Amino acid sequence: MSEYFKGIKQIEYVGKGSKEQLAFHYYNPKEIIGGKSMEDHLRFSVAYWHTFTAEGRDMFGVESAHREWNKYTDPLDKALARADAAFEFMSKLGVKYFCFHDRDLVDEQETLRETNKLLDKVVEHIKGKMKESGIKLLWGTANLFAHPRFMQGAATTCDADVYAYASAQVKKALEITKELNGENYVFWGGREGYETLLNTNMELELNNLAKFMHMAVEYAKEIGFTGQFLIEPKPKEPTKHQYDFDVANSYAFLQKYNLDKYFKFNIEANHATLAGHTFQHELRYARINNLLGSIDANMGDLLLGWDTDQFPTNVYENVLAMYEILKNGGIAPGGLNFDAHVRRPSYEDIDLFYAHIAGMDAFALGLKIAHKIIEDKVLEDFIEKRYNSFKEGIGKKIVEGTTNLKELEDYVIDKKVSLPKSGRQEYLENIINQYIF
Ligand code: XUL
Ligand code: CO
């Protein structure tokens, strides 16, 4: 078997002082933070599509990277080589999870039957690799957006044959996710949205989408797949308006169609910002509704405004994200999946290591700092006091739902209502800086 990443040894923790860059400066997998190892807190995962399948093509140019493992013309040879490279990479990096779309593993063939046959062979091979390395599958999904048949959606298409094809793809993706003991299954809306309402029956499309998800839940029960179902919201791109806009909007959809007990959310930082939210907002909204399932750890570029899927090297953002994860009691059975790709000019194989190391170190820092902020109750004490007026008197009655508009009017009618306490935003931002730097 070929070695693809020659000259790269196991990536180890060397600590902050070292100048070695093929090493971790903050991510120390076995280090205990708040009673749990960093590795168990963070549950890092490598995204098969960005790291092993894609090669740096963008809207304006062809592939900039040429990966040795993708050079084969025979589809089985290529798929097996890609899997070998993936497991060599993940083992050297020390990441314990990966995620895939069905079409990342193998190229699509003439018929679904042929593609599925090829998939079975590769899944068997991957199963062996997983056993050998101890690397596990965080989640599987189906690619229902790349092939032109899905140009107008998959579960929200205008064409019943396309809908059937997408359903069959999900059936198979569920089977292979179960076969590989996947801990979750993700639905990202891909092209489930519209370009113009002039040609769109929105009601039918949303009803069909809900039926699609119900069928997946049913089939999972039938085959004994017990992983967590996740929806990954994104407001736009590739479609102008995606149906799974953000957590709040998708939660309304889940509730309307009685799907809320089966789904949680896979929240992606760059999707949050495209929706006009902070990453922390989406995490918080999911967390307080007990819907925080997993994370696509990346970041966007605020000046570009599209889904740039960059490695999450912004420590400040990661502190706030880890704050939500810790307050959630952890992220398992979800994890932190690097749905991120190297910049097109970073085309050498070694850049794949530098990029993941950068994301892992920045999230390790986020974990350590967020843990301290929570331990010292920096925000908790402040927030607790900020809402003191709801603990007694009329405030208590409001919280308990034992008052009414008439009583509230009586309460204030002759009262001189003073200003609420200062929000102290800058004071708090300064304290957070003191924890970070
Ligand atoms: C696309 C995206 C996907 C999903 C899986 O923006 O994030 O890669 O994570 O389909
Ligand atoms: Co994603």
Side-chain angles (χ1 to χ4, degrees), residues 49 139 188 232 266 268 271 296 298 309 337 339:
W49 51 102
W139 50 261
W188 167 55
E232 183 179 324
N266 181 40
E268 178 165 325
H271 296 181
D296 269 6
N298 65 10
D309 283 342
N337 173 49
D339 191 356

Side-chain angles (χ1 to χ4, degrees), residues 2-29:
S2 320
E3 187 186 10
Y4 292 100
F5 303 97
K6 290 197 187 77
I8 295 180
K9 297 199 237 16
Q10 187 70 40
I11 308 298
E12 307 277 5
Y13 171 71
V14 291
K16 192 164 136 177
S18 169
K19 291 265 184 289
E20 171 62 56
Q21 293 309 318
L22 279 174
F24 299 117
H25 294 87
Y26 304 101
Y27 178 60
N28 184 9

Side-chain angles (χ1 to χ4, degrees), residues 360-420:
M360 291 163 80
D361 264 347
F363 256 102
L365 268 170
L367 164 64
K368 287 176 127 175
I369 297 162
H371 173 70
K372 265 199 228 129
I373 291 172
I374 292 173
E375 208 174 39
D376 295 353
K377 294 190 164 192
V378 180
L379 301 176
E380 282 70 9
D381 283 348
F382 185 89
I383 293 172
E384 173 85 25
K385 284 200 198 105
R386 187 164 180 241
Y387 295 92
N388 262 347
S389 66
F390 286 98
K391 284 191 191 131
E392 55 195 10
I394 199 71
K396 191 161 184 252
K397 282 185 145 188
I398 292 169
V399 170
E400 288 169 353
T402 54
T403 187
N404 53 50
L405 291 185
K406 209 175 158 306
E407 186 183 12
L408 290 166
E409 183 197 49
D410 287 347
Y411 177 74
V412 287
I413 196 95
D414 298 312
K415 197 173 162 54
K416 240 177 147 266
V417 174
S418 49
L419 289 179

